Amino acid sequence: GEGATDHLTPRHPGPDEAAALADLLETLLAGLDERPRLVVSMRLQGHTLEEIAAACGVTDKTVSNILAQLRERLGRLIPEEE
């Protein structure tokens, strides 16, 4: 039915949610070296792995590994649902 695609519709966060996301991102970026910070910044701006790799002077695989490590770290920063 129509409800099956509801989860694909982009949802814009409210002001409190947006502030919490900004704080979370700031916390994530604060502990990073320059290269991982550039990788996540470029990825959030919509750049491809290839573009990021070229800008950082590394392989696509390295970019992919950095993003995987950041996802893992982000998961640890997000509190579990009660």
Side-chain angles (χ1 to χ4, degrees):
E2 281 182 45
T5 59
D6 286 352
H7 68 280
L8 299 177
T9 305
R11 186 178 67 78
H12 298 286
D16 290 347
E17 212 176 6
L21 287 170
D23 287 347
L24 185 63
L25 184 58
E26 193 174 311
T27 300
L28 176 67
L29 294 177
L32 298 181
D33 292 333
E34 188 175 343
R35 181 178 291 152
R37 191 177 298 133
L38 179 59
V39 167
V40 74
S41 175
M42 288 184 72
R43 193 62 176 158
L44 290 172
Q45 292 172 43
H47 291 279
T48 66
L49 296 183
E50 293 80 12
E51 290 169 336
I52 298 166
C56 294
V58 297
T59 66
D60 298 0
K61 179 70 175 157
T62 298
V63 171
S64 186
N65 288 341
I66 289 170
L67 289 170
Q69 291 167 0
L70 292 172
R71 279 187 210 98
E72 192 176 307
R73 180 177 175 163
L74 185 60
R76 289 194 301 267
L77 293 175
I78 298 173
E80 294 283 331
E81 294 275 338
E82 293 293 323

